[in-house]
Amino acid sequence: MGVAILTIVAMPHLDIVTNVTILNGVAILSALLQLITQCSAKERNRFLLPSIFAFILILLGYALFLYLYITKNIRDVKMIIWVGLAVGASFLVSFNWWEGYLRLISKNRSSVFLKKFCKDLTKGQNMLNILTSLLRIAVTACVLGAYVPLAKMDWNIVTSIPSRETKIIAIIIGVQLISSALCHWFSLVACKMHALRRCFILPLYLASLAVMVLFVVPVIVYYQDYRTSLNGTAVNFTSYCNQVVDGRNQSLNGSVFPLLVLDVTHTLCFLDMSKIADIGLLTGSAVSWWLGLLLATLHLWYLNVDRIQRTQDLFIRRLYEGAFIEQSLLLNTRFDIQTKDRKKKVVDTLMVYLCATMWHETYDEMMNIIISIFRLDKYRPKTDKKKTDFTFETHIYFDDAFNDVKGSPGRHLNEYAEHLVEILTEVYGIFTNIDEKFFNKKLQIPDQKIMKTPYGGRLVVTMPHGNIIVVHFKDKELIRHKKRWSQVMYLYYLLGWKLMNKYHARWQRGEKEAELEAEIKKEKHNTYILALDGDTDFQPAAVMLLIDRLKMYPSVGAACGRIHPTGSGPAVWFQKFEYAVSHWLQKTAEHVIGCVLCSPGCFSLFRAAALMDDNVMKKYSTKSMEASQYIQYDQGEDRWLCTLLLKQGWRVEYNAAADAYTNAPEDFGELYNQRRRWGPSTMANVVDLLGSSSTISKRNRSMSKPFMFYQLFAIASSILAPATICLMVAGSFNFLFNLNASGALVLAVIPPIIFLILCFKLKSDTQIKIAGLLSIMYAFLMLVVTLSIIGSMVKENTVLTPSSIFVISISAIYVITAIMHPQESHLIFHGLIYILAIPSAYLLLSIYSLVNMNNVSWGTRETKPAAGAATPEPSTPQTRTQKAKSACQRFFSWFKCCKKSNHRSGDGHYAVSQAVLSPESAQAEQPELQPQNSIVESTSFAEEQQRQAEPVFDFPTHFWVKELQNVSNNMKLKDDSLDKEEEEFWIELQKKYLEPLQDDKVRQEKIKNDLRELRNKINFAYFMMNALWLVATFTLQISGTVSIKIPIIDFYLKPTGKDIQIDPIGFMFILGFAAMVGIQFLTMFYHRIYTLIHYVAFLDTESKEENNDPKEAYFSGTKVNSVSNGDCVIESSSMEDSESDEFDDSDEEGSSYM
């Protein structure tokens, strides 16, 4: 009511200066409530005096305003009424912002009623906002309806306004609505970007002054121009008003701006501008109101705002007042009681566990992740007490790390595990001496711990800045192996043992259960697990951006970053564009309109509270017992974990600024095997979610029914992709060879049918070879089809055909999307390969993955030579002394890899050394080849002699410990042991969840048959749906009895007289696909804006020292030769400049966020 009375009734009778500045007077009740709130706190408050002065100044402004208008003409009763209404209405408006102060008062009071009232108010805030908005509309209509007859106005005047004036009024109202909405949105952006002072408070303070200047300056200019036009004739402001302003033409036929200036001047004509008293009273009231608002909101300059602060934590009410937007935003901002001895805000320290799973990663791949971890150690040193926002530990779970060596007792670490220890030693030395110059004294690497565990072994490395890396070497004979069980292993260890065990001990000591539950809940909320793959390369900033999402939004259970595939070759180029489109459009759409369905395990942050929720961690550790569980649980464990989180009501998000890099399959067969796992698993999880859509929509607010329908259409499109590709190929045959529709369709479906039959009969490797040959054939066909579509557009002089519109629109969307991602825009060129590979990806790969879905093997990272590895050079013939030395080494160590050092060759590549194995290791039962990696050893002769003199092992069962100590030359490993309680925990965990699976031939045969039967059922349903879709669409196209005719229009938008017939099913499918892509395109813009906001906020809040990349002059995967002479180290610097530049470039690429 206050807003309606003030703007509709009172303001038309007041001057422009008062109308602009009286809006600042609405802060009167806020100033009064600030006084009450701070007094109720019973502390020495910093802003008590500013609140007092603000209240006094606003009252003074009202007093001067009343005196000016009332004393001008005491007998003017109507003016007194208007002035009284203005004061009363502005006081009513000030009641908009009482909620925040009432909440603070209720906290400082013991009143149960106030606390309950504020709690209910918070719960029903959305409904209250809806009801109050409807009530405001009704009250405004009532005030307007009452004012017209009371002011003795005629409604006919209102309804008979000319059309031009009506348009002007509509434009003004529209501009006001749009500008106020934009002002509100940009204010939110400024606060989220941590630009509260310079981009929020200061502009809003100056807004009313700027508006007043814009209105008053033209009045003065017009008045001075009039005086100048009279050639010196004396004239005052009153005569100017009588002659020019009152005698103005009311018609709006000419320019509107001069009439607007005269209208503004008319509001000031009641003043005598020649009297200093009138000007002083008007200026005094305006300045008093403005200063009162400034003092009432002075606390905003000291407001603590986090990055991407939630809107509900910034503003008390979600609504804003469009009539006085700047006052609404300032007074609606959160008010905090700040005492004079106020300490810095205490921030809870988060605990982040970095958990990486490894198996058969190459030397360079492991080097990437270890460098990333040490980089994070330097970014957030545990020894620096100033950086307490989070601390972290790293846990690496190395699968199948042990093997048997023929003729040697005990278990041995395999080459991959030894390489990891070598890399840890190498990277530790680099980061220890990262700021040292050449020829300086090299710092000694401190001793680290190694111990035997019930599951194998453990290596504990304390990094240079205090954070630790724990490497868990798993023995598959002692504990269950494969990635999902490694994840179960660290979930129960980190969350069950490290997080919960200490509270259980305190509970046993008799501490209060309620207090312990509150602490547990808080710690679970503030404990995160960063899931990594063994080859992930990331920057510390990417981790911080993911932490921000979980830290700021309590309902977020997981957040993933932008995954960049690395490598070379056509297969990788295809994946780069595929990953780009998936993240640019699909993941952003899921994030904006619903939830991300899959947070990839190579770089995702999970909240402990979400993982420990009902039916998440417990169900995730379930052993697969049925054929369908092997598909859903084991083939895509990351997606299944997200499915469990979504079912429990947690939100999964995507942050496009958190970049991570991981190696992609470079081989065509390895790519097919990877997608053979992902395809059926994705379908199984999405179908699982769709089957529980009603329950999930009720429990998870982000998973609405429209979003589930969007996913239903997406999965339907992917299921019908093979039939769609066949129709496209048939159309191309029809266009290229002038075949009739029937013959073209038969020709198009023959190769897929043959390939389908062969997949049921042949081995997997043979299937992949056939798929490769067909992919090449289809690639040439796609190239011809693409060129043919372009040629048909030129030939028919039109682009308004379905195929042309589809190609142009999709291309335009991809190009615009790439432009919106400037640092990734070059990936658009890989789209050419993606187009050529569409039949292979959506037809042949679908057939291969479905026919082989009964194959539940991993399919990737099988033991084989590393991709792109150079052929080992023959070793240099040894002298007699060297042969004798080698024989002694073999006698004492049983198993030793002696590597020949190779310097960098002139062509810029690194030579690969050849491992010289002992006879025992050469005869080891290793049927597969091991990868050759670049390892260059540099040890002094004295160190070599000392190492040879030491006994290699004392006990056969501990042989691998001594073996590992020999591998780690520069980093000594000391024997250690587990605590008794922790050892018992591991034994119990193994018995309950992680015992190695026994070879049950009967059960394995049953599962094998069940998988084959499930494969047959799904294949029948899948390809039957494609056949029905194919027949239905083709029949409607051929018959033409039921079709939609679309006229062809040329480039000049003139009809050509030809029509194109489209069947209804195809037309609806095209419309649905266009709608889906349109939704993804629009949500991409929305997501890009908020990604930019988050990134700018991050850059603004992180110190310059933290934003700088490490200055290590280092290239991953190689060691620098050094000649050790006592404590001094002389390093070979021939590659210093080139390696440093190359490393700096990779850092810049790794820190790209847009």
Side-chain angles (χ1 to χ4, degrees):
M1 182 180 288
V3 178
I5 294 175
L6 185 63
T7 56
I8 297 174
V9 179
M11 280 188 171
H13 304 280
L14 305 178
D15 66 278
I16 187 62
V17 176
T18 302
N19 284 338
V20 172
T21 56
I22 197 175
L23 299 177
N24 296 327
V26 299
I28 182 169
L29 185 63
S30 295
L32 181 61
L33 290 175
Q34 286 179 19
L35 285 173
I36 299 172
T37 303
Q38 294 180 89
C39 291
S40 66
K42 299 180 181 179
E43 294 185 57
R44 298 178 62 192
N45 300 311
R46 302 182 65 186
F47 297 106
L48 186 60
L49 284 178
S51 300
I52 294 173
F53 284 115
F55 184 72
I56 293 173
L57 284 171
I58 294 174
L59 285 179
L60 177 62
Y62 280 118
L64 295 175
F65 163 66
L66 291 172
Y67 181 81
L68 174 63
Y69 271 86
I70 292 175
T71 58
K72 205 65 181 175
N73 188 357
I74 301 177
R75 296 179 181 179
D76 191 351
V77 179
K78 288 185 177 181
M79 180 56 69
I80 295 174
I81 294 174
W82 306 137
V83 171
L85 287 174
V87 175
S90 61
F91 185 75
L92 289 176
V93 171
S94 65
F95 276 89
N96 275 297
W97 307 287
W98 56 269
E99 296 178 26
Y101 304 106
L102 185 64
R103 289 193 178 98
L104 290 176
I105 293 173
S106 66
K107 289 180 181 179
N108 298 322
R109 297 290 181 180
S110 59
S111 174
V112 179
F113 172 77
L114 275 180
K115 295 181 184 297
K116 189 175 183 302
F117 177 75
C118 293
K119 187 176 180 180
D120 295 338
L121 195 67
T122 304
K123 286 183 178 179
Q125 192 173 30
N126 291 333
M127 184 57 65
L128 284 174
N129 288 335
I130 295 173
L131 294 177
T132 53
S133 299
L134 297 174
L135 184 61
R136 286 160 66 93
I137 294 172
V139 170
T140 302
C142 293
V143 171
L144 181 61
Y147 172 66
V148 171
L150 289 176
K152 297 180 180 180
M153 297 174 63
D154 190 358
W155 280 104
N156 294 328
I157 299 175
V158 179
T159 57
S160 62
I161 299 176
S163 60
R164 189 168 185 265
E165 283 80 349
T166 304
K167 290 179 181 179
I168 294 174
I169 295 172
I171 291 172
I172 293 174
I173 294 174
V175 168
Q176 199 278 333
L177 292 174
I178 294 173
S179 60
S180 60
L182 288 175
C183 181
H184 178 259
W185 185 80
F186 279 111
S187 299
L188 288 176
V189 170
C191 295
K192 289 177 180 291
M193 290 172 60
H194 221 266
L196 185 70
R197 296 181 180 179
R198 62 183 180 271
C199 296
F200 177 74
I201 302 173
L202 190 61
L204 293 179
Y205 280 162
L206 301 177
S208 57
L209 299 180
V211 170
M212 191 163 54
V213 169
L214 289 175
F215 278 114
V216 173
V217 168
V219 172
I220 297 174
V221 171
Y222 273 61
Y223 173 57
Q224 293 298 331
D225 289 344
Y226 176 74
R227 292 182 62 183
T228 304
S229 65
L230 296 178
N231 297 324
T233 303
V235 63
N236 56 19
F237 188 75
T238 304
S239 60
Y240 171 71
C241 289
N242 293 332
Q243 296 176 13
V244 179
V245 178
D246 294 338
R248 68 189 185 279
N249 185 7
Q250 299 292 336
S251 176
L252 296 178
N253 294 327
S255 178
V256 178
F257 183 75
L259 296 177
L260 179 62
V261 174
L262 294 177
D263 284 340
V264 172
T265 307
H266 179 71
T267 64
L268 297 169
C269 285
F270 81 101
L271 294 174
D272 190 351
M273 302 300 289
S274 61
K275 292 183 179 180
I276 299 179
D278 288 0
I279 297 176
L281 289 172
L282 183 63
T283 306
S285 62
V287 172
S288 298
W289 281 327
W290 185 76
L291 289 176
L293 176 68
L294 190 147
L295 292 174
T297 56
L298 189 64
H299 64 276
L300 298 180
W301 291 86
Y302 302 91
L303 188 66
N304 290 318
V305 178
D306 296 324
R307 286 196 296 265
I308 59 171
Q309 184 83 48
R310 292 188 300 173
T311 304
Q312 64 191 54
D313 295 334
L314 283 171
F315 298 114
I316 303 301
R317 300 175 70 241
R318 297 185 182 181
L319 303 178
Y320 63 91
E321 302 293 338
F324 33 92
I325 184 67
E326 62 270 24
Q327 292 83 6
S328 171
L329 291 171
L330 288 170
L331 298 173
N332 192 32
T333 309
R334 187 183 75 240
F335 176 76
D336 291 333
I337 299 176
Q338 300 179 10
T339 58
K340 290 188 177 180
D341 55 347
R342 178 176 66 101
K343 297 181 181 179
K344 194 172 183 180
K345 182 181 177 182
V346 179
V347 180
D348 295 330
T349 301
L350 306 174
M351 184 64 202
V352 181
Y353 292 107
L354 277 66
C355 298
T357 55
M358 287 187 179
W359 183 37
H360 283 171
E361 281 74 14
T362 63
Y363 192 91
D364 290 341
E365 290 172 346
M366 288 189 284
M367 181 68 76
N368 287 334
I369 189 171
I370 298 302
I371 287 177
S372 301
I373 294 169
F374 273 80
R375 192 186 294 135
L376 185 62
D377 173 63
K378 186 179 180 182
Y379 183 83
R380 275 294 180 274
K382 194 173 183 178
T383 54
D384 190 351
K385 302 302 181 183
K386 295 180 180 179
K387 301 173 182 178
T388 59
D389 53 346
F390 80 93
T391 184
F392 76 94
E393 289 182 10
T394 302
H395 292 262
I396 299 175
Y397 290 81
F398 209 110
D399 246 323
D400 196 11
F402 294 86
N403 56 19
D404 292 321
V405 176
K406 188 175 181 179
S408 175
R411 299 281 283 170
H412 296 252
L413 284 176
N414 60 25
E415 287 191 15
Y416 301 101
E418 290 182 354
H419 290 165
L420 177 61
V421 178
E422 293 175 356
I423 291 168
L424 285 170
T425 306
E426 178 182 351
V427 177
Y428 199 113
I430 291 167
F431 275 81
T432 302
N433 300 276
I434 199 169
D435 297 322
E436 299 294 323
K437 302 295 183 182
F438 292 112
F439 302 100
N440 282 6
K441 184 176 180 179
K442 185 175 181 179
L443 299 178
Q444 181 66 33
I445 299 177
D447 296 345
Q448 308 299 337
K449 299 177 182 178
I450 188 171
M451 62 192 73
K452 193 174 184 299
T453 62
Y455 55 81
R458 179 186 296 183
L459 172 65
V460 181
V461 177
T462 303
M463 290 182 282
H465 297 280
N467 298 291
I468 66 171
I469 297 178
V470 182
V471 183
H472 304 264
F473 295 111
K474 294 173 58 181
D475 189 342
K476 69 178 181 180
E477 294 184 358
L478 301 176
I479 197 167
R480 201 171 298 174
H481 67 293
K482 291 190 177 180
K483 183 177 181 180
R484 181 159 75 93
W485 301 115
S486 293
Q487 292 175 333
V488 171
M489 184 176 170
Y490 68 64
L491 288 177
Y492 276 94
Y493 173 59
L494 299 176
L495 305 183
W497 170 257
K498 294 181 73 69
L499 193 152
M500 296 297 296
N501 187 59
K502 57 180 179 288
Y503 292 105
H504 183 262
R506 290 171 57 186
W507 176 75
Q508 288 181 328
R509 291 196 297 265
E511 295 191 26
K512 293 182 180 179
E513 188 173 346
E515 295 179 359
L516 290 177
E517 288 180 356
E519 291 185 33
I520 291 172
K521 183 178 179 181
K522 183 178 180 181
E523 185 167 357
K524 288 196 301 184
H525 184 79
N526 293 330
T527 301
Y528 306 147
I529 288 182
L530 180 64
L532 301 167
D533 277 353
D535 61 349
T536 305
D537 184 9
F538 61 91
Q539 293 288 334
V543 180
M544 293 298 300
L545 293 169
L546 291 184
I547 289 175
D548 284 345
R549 303 303 305 182
L550 272 67
K551 181 180 178 182
M552 195 55 56
Y553 301 100
S555 62
V556 176
C560 62
R562 166 70 165 96
I563 309 302
H564 299 263
T566 60
S568 60
V572 177
W573 299 337
F574 167 82
Q575 292 174 85
K576 285 188 175 184
F577 185 79
E578 182 193 33
Y579 273 64
V581 172
S582 174
H583 286 85
W584 291 351
L585 297 174
Q586 296 175 13
K587 261 190 168 48
T588 55
E590 291 177 348
H591 173 93
V592 173
I593 65 177
C595 275
V596 174
L597 300 188
C598 179
S599 187
C602 58
F603 190 68
S604 294
L605 192 67
F606 295 89
R607 191 188 301 275
L611 296 171
M612 299 172 74
D613 203 351
D614 297 336
N615 293 323
V616 177
M617 195 163 73
K618 177 73 174 177
K619 193 168 184 178
Y620 190 69
S621 59
T622 304
K623 185 169 64 173
S624 301
M625 301 299 294
E626 299 177 2
S628 60
Q629 293 175 351
Y630 279 91
I631 303 298
Q632 185 178 3
Y633 295 3
D634 296 330
Q635 298 299 286
E637 66 287 335
D638 306 328
R639 185 174 286 271
W640 184 47
L641 180 58
C642 291
T643 300
L644 296 175
L645 293 175
L646 295 173
K647 284 185 173 182
Q648 288 301 118
W650 291 96
R651 177 171 170 78
V652 181
E653 292 194 346
Y654 163 61
N655 192 311
D659 293 293
Y661 298 81
T662 183
N663 281 29
E666 298 182 355
D667 181 67
F668 181 82
E670 192 174 4
L671 174 62
Y672 258 53
N673 281 325
Q674 182 193 67
R675 301 309 167 90
R676 181 255 299 161
R677 289 189 293 110
W678 289 1
S681 172
T682 299
M683 189 181 302
N685 281 278
V686 173
V687 170
D688 187 9
L689 287 173
L690 293 175
S692 308
S693 58
S694 299
T695 306
I696 294 174
S697 298
K698 294 177 182 178
R699 179 173 291 181
N700 195 326
R701 294 184 301 173
S702 300
M703 304 280 286
S704 61
K705 291 288 182 65
F707 176 70
M708 301 302 285
F709 180 78
Y710 166 85
Q711 291 297 334
L712 176 63
F713 186 83
I715 192 69
S717 301
S718 63
I719 290 174
L720 299 176
T724 306
I725 297 298
C726 288
L727 289 172
M728 182 190 69
V729 173
S732 63
F733 285 156
N734 188 7
F735 178 81
L736 293 175
F737 306 113
N738 291 323
L739 296 176
N740 58 56
S742 301
L745 181 62
V746 171
L747 188 61
V749 299
I750 286 177
I753 292 175
I754 294 176
F755 181 65
L756 177 63
I757 296 172
L758 292 177
C759 285
F760 277 99
K761 299 295 183 181
L762 301 177
K763 293 182 178 180
S764 176
D765 293 341
T766 309
Q767 298 173 32
I768 292 175
K769 291 178 181 178
I770 296 173
L773 293 175
L774 291 176
S775 298
I776 295 173
M777 296 170 57
Y778 276 119
F780 281 104
L781 180 63
M782 287 297 299
L783 178 62
V784 175
V785 169
T786 304
L787 297 176
S788 300
I789 292 174
I790 298 174
S792 66
M793 287 189 287
V794 177
K795 180 180 178 180
E796 298 179 6
N797 197 25
T798 182
V799 295
L800 300 179
T801 61
S803 58
S804 303
I805 293 174
F806 179 80
V807 171
I808 292 174
S809 58
I810 293 297
S811 301
I813 287 175
Y814 285 165
V815 170
I816 295 173
T817 304
I819 293 173
M820 291 294 294
H821 298 75
Q823 293 187 346
E824 302 176 26
S825 58
H826 62 280
L827 297 177
I828 194 68
F829 296 106
H830 297 311
L832 300 175
I833 295 178
Y834 182 82
I835 293 173
L836 300 180
I838 284 177
S840 177
Y842 293 97
L843 177 61
L844 303 178
L845 181 56
S846 298
I847 296 173
Y848 175 78
S849 61
L850 285 168
V851 174
N852 292 277
M853 67 183 299
N854 59 317
N855 180 5
V856 293
S857 64
W858 201 248
T860 55
R861 292 198 184 279
E862 301 292 347
T863 311
K864 62 182 182 179
T871 304
E873 296 177 1
S875 57
T876 306
Q878 295 181 329
T879 62
R880 292 183 178 180
T881 304
Q882 291 173 332
K883 289 181 180 179
K885 182 179 177 181
S886 299
C888 293
Q889 289 178 350
R890 289 195 298 270
F891 176 77
F892 285 105
S893 64
W894 292 77
F895 175 74
K896 175 61 187 172
C897 298
C898 302
K899 303 170 182 66
K900 173 178 176 288
S901 301
N902 290 290
H903 294 281
R904 188 176 185 178
S905 57
D907 61 353
H909 293 82
Y910 293 93
V912 181
S913 61
Q914 181 182 17
V916 182
L917 303 180
S918 64
E920 290 81 6
S921 73
Q923 297 173 1
E925 296 178 359
Q926 298 290 338
E928 55 268 2
L929 296 174
Q930 302 293 334
Q932 303 291 330
N933 294 306
S934 174
I935 306 172
V936 182
E937 292 184 346
S938 57
T939 55
S940 65
F941 182 74
E943 292 174 338
E944 182 74 19
Q945 283 184 328
Q946 180 181 1
R947 191 184 59 184
Q948 293 177 18
E950 294 177 354
V952 178
F953 69 94
D954 298 322
F955 304 99
T957 55
H958 288 232
F959 183 82
W960 67 268
V961 175
K962 296 297 181 181
E963 186 179 58
L964 204 59
Q965 289 173 338
N966 290 334
V967 171
S968 177
N969 299 311
N970 298 324
M971 183 173 66
K972 293 184 179 180
L973 304 179
K974 288 190 174 182
D975 288 338
D976 202 351
S977 60
L978 288 180
D979 295 335
K980 185 177 180 181
E981 291 184 2
E982 185 177 347
E983 187 173 353
E984 292 176 353
F985 161 79
W986 282 113
I987 294 173
E988 184 179 354
L989 181 65
Q990 286 174 250
K991 290 180 179 179
K992 192 170 184 180
Y993 295 110
L994 298 174
E995 277 189 344
L997 298 175
Q998 301 299 325
D999 292 336
D1000 188 347
K1001 301 296 183 181
V1002 176
R1003 183 177 174 275
Q1004 288 180 358
E1005 189 64 28
K1006 180 180 180 301
I1007 293 297
K1008 182 179 179 181
N1009 294 331
D1010 291 346
L1011 282 169
R1012 189 181 294 110
E1013 184 179 353
L1014 178 66
R1015 185 271 309 268
N1016 295 337
K1017 290 179 180 179
I1018 292 178
N1019 274 263
F1020 176 79
Y1022 184 90
F1023 292 111
M1024 182 58 68
M1025 283 189 288
N1026 276 271
L1028 293 174
W1029 173 262
L1030 195 66
V1031 171
T1033 305
F1034 180 73
T1035 303
L1036 290 174
Q1037 288 178 352
I1038 294 298
S1039 62
T1041 55
V1042 182
S1043 61
I1044 299 173
K1045 293 184 179 181
I1046 299 177
I1048 300 178
I1049 303 175
D1050 59 14
F1051 290 116
Y1052 303 101
L1053 301 180
K1054 295 180 180 180
T1056 59
K1058 299 180 181 179
D1059 295 332
I1060 291 180
Q1061 292 184 350
I1062 303 177
D1063 62 280
I1065 297 178
F1067 183 72
M1068 294 303 296
F1069 186 80
I1070 291 174
L1071 283 182
F1073 184 79
M1076 186 175 69
V1077 175
I1079 291 172
Q1080 294 176 352
F1081 187 63
L1082 294 177
T1083 53
M1084 180 271 299
F1085 280 98
Y1086 179 88
H1087 193 267
R1088 291 308 293 163
I1089 293 172
Y1090 280 91
T1091 300
L1092 177 63
I1093 292 170
H1094 191 182
Y1095 180 58
V1096 173
F1098 173 79
L1099 292 180
D1100 191 58
T1101 52
E1102 290 295 303
S1103 63
K1104 293 182 179 179
E1105 179 182 355
E1106 292 171 351
N1107 282 333
N1108 288 338
D1109 292 333
K1111 298 178 181 178
E1112 55 262 34
Y1114 178 75
F1115 185 82
S1116 63
T1118 61
K1119 292 183 180 179
V1120 182
N1121 281 345
S1122 63
V1123 180
S1124 178
N1125 184 11
D1127 291 332
C1128 297
V1129 175
I1130 303 176
E1131 300 186 359
S1132 61
S1133 58
S1134 60
M1135 297 181 293
E1136 176 189 359
D1137 296 333
S1138 61
E1139 290 182 0
S1140 177
D1141 294 340
E1142 197 160 4
F1143 188 76
D1144 291 340
D1145 292 342
S1146 65
D1147 276 354
E1148 291 176 5
E1149 182 182 2
S1151 60
S1152 62
Y1153 301 103
M1154 296 305 295

